[in-house]
Amino acid sequence: MAGNMHVVMVPWLAFGHMIPHLQLAIALAEAGIHVSFISTPRNIQRLPKLSPTLLPLINLVALPLPVVAGLPEGSEATVDLPFEKIKYLKIAYGLLKQPLKRFLEGESPDWMIVDLLVDWAAEAAGECAIPLLVFSMFASATNVFFGPPEYLTGDGQRRVRPSPESMTTPPEWVTFPSLVAYREFEARGAHPGFYGDNSSGTTDADRIATTLSACDAVAIRSCREFEGEYLRIYQKMLRKPVIPVGLLPREGGHEITNQAWRKIFKWLDEQKPKSVVFVGFGSECKLSQDQVHEIAYGLERSELPFLWALRKPNWAIEDAEALPSGFSDRTSGRGVVCMGWAPQMEILAHPSIGGSLLHSGWGSVIETLQFGHCPIVLPFVVDQGLIARLLVEKGMAVEIARGDDGSFSRDDIAKSLRLAMVMEEGDKLRIRAREAAMIFGDQKLHQSYIAELVKYLKGEIAKEN
């Protein structure tokens, strides 16, 4: 047990960041570490409920988000906002530096664990003389692609990423054959968004450079068994300890009590093993009408059974308006579309699921592969394109073909789905996905990584490189 060790965690205000941080907090609490988890009131209300046994060890600390011009009332996470207003969330969150410092001065924690993007919290740790661990919930391949702090910052003097085109090839420090790079259509949005947008006061590249420079070590949601080659490069380039914390796989198996979902699970029970495609793009991925309809037509043309968890888009007034006319009738019995929240882990754990059509966010990929399902990837934002290529590089995913403008067709969706699910040419993909489950779903393996992290925090592992 770690005794009275106290750690303060500060994630960025996106659920794709808060949830992995909470999973890490739970893992540390299970190892006996007391965790103060910092967020805002509405986000804390929306987090998954903690087990009563962990409540004495995890303190959810709600710091009210300051009012900022341009930030709509009640908007406390990226999911609440259109992309163009996220800059106001960054500004408001940065104003919590002084309240955080007051909390730190009162608590005197042993460590702070800060999200890569929360530079002001890293600065607060330094000003309060608290040891700092940065937690990257991105894959090692993503961290390696963007490089060390000196390649992230500088007034136009970057040696690696001066233009969108420069993001379409792997960096020079990747010394083995790699597919991990952006497509041109992805880079056209990623480059100015990451390196050029300082409307919130600083760029994301500069934020990450600040946290990486300030920290004592980096914890990363990865494991040597899957990304050993990228972890070795990242350790070498940072010249400070890089501690893989495992993949933090979640456990499903909760009882389904909702009557509508019970009906859907009864339908799943009636399907053949490994025959159903699960389709889900999460809450942060805001698809256009054309994109949703093209996916729908692709599912229809694939002739495969499917379960689609679709959040009602902003452009649809009624649920039925989200789908092409007649789609539900034409796919009745073969496919199910559920609007809103879905018990994703319980769905993926069902034996009838065999593949997953997803955006290839790292957390969703981990959930898919821990059950050995073949990913069919259609990336849209942030690092999703890099993860898609990592999976293709590892021989365990199909990436849907895209045009130069990022467009995709129903025929390519249908073709990719059938390749992953039923065609003989996809046998190797399905085998690789099943093999991946032996790593991604190995709870004991990932618990051993948490044990390594705990030893580091307690000073039982040498803190040199």
Side-chain angles (χ1 to χ4, degrees):
M1 297 292 282
N4 296 319
M5 176 167 279
H6 180 197
V7 168
V8 173
M9 297 184 71
V10 189
W12 164 233
L13 301 181
F15 280 93
H17 290 240
M18 287 184 279
I19 297 299
H21 277 76
L22 185 63
Q23 289 170 257
L24 181 59
I26 290 169
L28 290 174
E30 288 173 342
I33 291 179
H34 175 237
V35 179
S36 292
F37 187 95
I38 308 290
S39 194
T40 62
R42 186 160 177 245
N43 288 329
I44 284 176
Q45 290 170 2
R46 291 185 284 183
L47 289 171
K49 300 306 176 194
L50 295 171
S51 162
T53 59
L54 293 176
L55 292 176
L57 284 164
I58 299 180
N59 180 26
L60 299 175
V61 181
L63 299 182
L65 198 64
V67 175
V68 166
L71 183 65
E73 185 178 355
S75 298
E76 297 185 8
T78 55
V79 71
D80 304 324
L81 294 162
F83 178 78
E84 64 273 12
K85 291 198 172 184
I86 290 174
K87 60 187 176 186
Y88 301 118
L89 186 65
K90 292 176 181 177
I91 292 168
Y93 201 32
L95 295 176
L96 288 180
K97 181 177 177 180
Q98 291 308 317
L100 176 64
K101 282 183 69 175
R102 287 193 291 272
F103 177 81
L104 296 174
E105 287 160 0
E107 293 287 331
S108 299
D110 299 284
W111 280 88
M112 275 186 71
I113 299 179
V114 170
D115 195 299
L116 264 179
L117 288 167
V118 190
D119 54 333
W120 54 269
E123 291 168 352
E127 291 164 17
C128 295
I130 298 167
L132 177 64
L133 185 75
V134 165
F135 176 42
S136 171
M137 30 67 65
F138 299 106
S140 297
T142 298
N143 289 277
V144 166
F145 180 83
F146 285 103
E150 59 268 28
Y151 286 86
L152 290 169
T153 191
D155 301 322
Q157 302 303 312
R158 285 177 211 94
R159 289 170 281 174
V160 181
R161 308 290 183 211
S163 66
E165 292 72 27
S166 65
M167 299 182 81
T168 61
T169 55
E172 62 199 39
W173 48 76
V174 176
T175 54
F176 50 84
S178 173
L179 301 177
V180 179
Y182 284 100
R183 303 275 189 253
E184 283 191 26
F185 72 87
E186 295 166 333
R188 286 194 291 269
H191 191 275
F194 187 70
Y195 293 107
D197 181 7
N198 61 0
S199 56
S200 65
T202 187
T203 66
D204 284 347
D206 283 331
R207 290 181 195 279
I208 292 173
T210 296
T211 57
L212 288 178
S213 297
C215 71
D216 296 285
V218 176
I220 189 164
R221 190 182 189 183
S222 184
C223 66
R224 300 177 192 96
E225 291 76 8
F226 184 68
E227 287 193 290
E229 66 276 37
Y230 287 103
L231 276 166
R232 284 189 288 274
I233 291 175
Y234 199 50
Q235 168 91 51
K236 186 176 179 181
M237 70 167 57
L238 283 189
R239 300 182 299 279
K240 57 179 66 178
V242 172
I243 306 163
V245 300
L247 298 173
L248 302 172
R250 290 198 292 153
E251 295 188 49
H254 296 106
E255 185 183 355
I256 302 298
T257 55
N258 178 285
Q259 288 304 311
W261 273 106
R262 282 190 168 186
K263 281 187 178 180
I264 292 170
F265 273 84
K266 187 174 184 300
W267 175 83
L268 280 174
D269 291 341
E270 295 165 357
Q271 309 307 308
K272 294 177 181 177
K274 288 284 187 181
S275 67
V276 179
V277 179
F278 175 64
V279 185
F281 289 90
S283 57
E284 304 275 357
C285 203
K286 298 172 175 72
L287 302 177
S288 70
Q289 184 172 9
D290 285 346
Q291 289 170 335
V292 170
H293 285 196
E294 210 62 23
I295 291 168
Y297 287 126
L299 288 168
E300 185 177 345
R301 290 192 179 189
S302 76
E303 300 183 342
L304 296 167
F306 64 87
L307 172 55
W308 188 357
L310 176 63
R311 291 181 184 256
K312 189 178 79 174
N314 294 334
W315 44 263
I317 298 171
E318 302 294 335
D319 287 359
E321 294 176 9
L323 295 165
S325 177
F327 172 81
S328 297
D329 293 333
R330 293 191 301 273
T331 59
S332 178
R334 175 168 69 82
V336 174
V337 179
C338 49
M339 304 297 290
W341 175 85
Q344 183 160 312
M345 290 301 290
E346 286 68 30
I347 293 169
L348 291 171
H350 196 281
S352 70
I353 301 294
S356 185
L357 173 58
L358 73 163
H359 51 44
S360 67
W362 187 221
S364 295
V365 164
I366 291 168
E367 291 173 356
T368 296
L369 287 174
Q370 76 180 84
F371 295 106
H373 304 321
C374 189
I376 305 98
V377 291
L378 185 62
F380 286 100
V381 296
V382 196
D383 66 327
Q384 292 170 1
L386 301 180
I387 300 301
R389 262 110 272 163
L390 175 65
L391 297 177
V392 172
E393 178 181 304
K394 299 278 188 181
M396 58 183 60
V398 182
E399 183 175 2
I400 292 167
R402 306 285 272 273
D404 291 341
D405 60 352
S407 61
F408 52 89
S409 75
R410 59 195 71 178
D411 288 333
D412 282 326
I413 287 176
K415 178 182 174 183
S416 297
L417 288 170
R418 291 193 64 80
L419 175 63
M421 295 294 292
V422 295
M423 291 175 66
E424 191 176 332
E425 298 95 308
D427 282 349
K428 287 183 179 178
L429 291 168
R430 293 186 287 274
I431 290 168
R432 290 288 291 124
R434 287 196 296 272
E435 290 172 348
M438 298 172 70
I439 297 171
F440 282 69
D442 186 342
Q443 294 286 348
K444 284 187 177 179
L445 171 68
H446 302 297
Q447 287 165 4
S448 73
Y449 279 105
I450 295 297
E452 280 186 41
L453 173 62
V454 170
K455 286 181 178 179
Y456 179 83
L457 294 174
K458 292 171 66 179
E460 294 173 6
I461 295 177
K463 297 187 179 181
E464 64 270 7
N465 291 0

